[in-house]
Amino acid sequence: MKRQAKLSPIFLALTLWLGVLCCNAVAKQGGAQNNAIEAQDFYAFATIDGTNISAAFGILSNASEQPIALQKATVINSNATAELHQSTKEEGVVKMLPVDSITIPAKQSVKLTPGGLHIMLINLPKPLEAGKTIALELVFDDGTTLKLEVPIKERSANKSGKHTHH
């Protein structure tokens, strides 16, 4: 006479639960690899009459366990140049200089803002008009690329009526 092993319902439920938990962890890890960088609240300023430059701003978030650096930005379908820049104030003078990359620390965000880190848009072939969009591609050192349709906003005027500058 053969003995059949009986599996308890608790053992079966535990095995099933561990299998689901394991599969979910793998799926989340795979998703984090592909979606480690997120771009939020991006916008660019409309160009000022007679100029062909602007800048783009927003928030870059890194969900990964490692720092990731923005290496390059390009204006899609355009000969315009996009450069990564940092504005600093030294002895009362604001200076804007290109930077090689912008590092987003692990599990943190970096804000690209007027007066700070930003993406300069140079030699734009036509004016950027408020209410329209500009297509940008961001390239990161982990191989990630993000394509963004960035809304264009009117520059706000300060109390003196002059435009604010980055």
Side-chain angles (χ1 to χ4, degrees), residues 3-98:
R3 269 185 105 179
Q4 280 188 318
K6 289 187 179 181
L7 299 176
S8 77
I10 293 173
F11 178 78
L12 287 173
L14 182 60
T15 303
L16 182 60
W17 178 77
L18 286 173
V20 168
L21 183 65
C22 178
C23 290
N24 279 342
V26 170
K28 286 181 183 175
Q29 182 181 6
Q33 290 284 33
N34 296 330
N35 299 314
I37 293 291
E38 184 179 337
Q40 305 156 347
D41 302 327
F42 263 75
Y43 66 96
F45 281 138
T47 50
I48 297 173
D49 290 342
T51 67
N52 64 351
I53 62 170
S54 184
F57 313 97
I59 301 169
L60 294 171
S61 299
N62 177 1
S64 79
E65 300 290 335
Q66 299 295 320
I68 297 175
L70 173 60
Q71 297 285 68
K72 179 180 171 183
T74 57
V75 181
I76 297 172
N77 297 324
S78 174
N79 291 329
T81 302
E83 294 180 357
L84 308 178
H85 277 217
Q86 166 87 50
S87 294
T88 59
K89 193 172 189 176
E90 294 177 20
E91 299 177 16
V93 177
V94 176
K95 296 180 179 182
M96 183 174 47
L97 299 170

Side-chain angles (χ1 to χ4, degrees), residues 37-39 60 76 136-140 144-148:
I37 293 291
E38 184 179 337
L60 294 171
I76 297 172
L136 299 180
E137 182 175 63
L138 308 181
V139 179
F140 298 86
T144 300
T145 60
L146 294 179
K147 291 184 180 183
L148 308 175

Side-chain angles (χ1 to χ4, degrees), residues 75-139:
V75 181
I76 297 172
N77 297 324
S78 174
N79 291 329
T81 302
E83 294 180 357
L84 308 178
H85 277 217
Q86 166 87 50
S87 294
T88 59
K89 193 172 189 176
E90 294 177 20
E91 299 177 16
V93 177
V94 176
K95 296 180 179 182
M96 183 174 47
L97 299 170
V99 294
D100 292 332
S101 63
I102 298 172
T103 300
I104 304 99
K107 301 287 186 186
Q108 294 184 39
S109 297
V110 170
K111 286 186 178 183
L112 306 184
T113 61
L117 293 166
H118 58 278
I119 301 169
M120 278 301 297
L121 307 173
I122 304 166
N123 295 324
L124 294 162
K126 59 183 182 179
L128 297 186
E129 298 176 32
K132 295 190 176 182
T133 63
I134 184 168
L136 299 180
E137 182 175 63
L138 308 181
V139 179

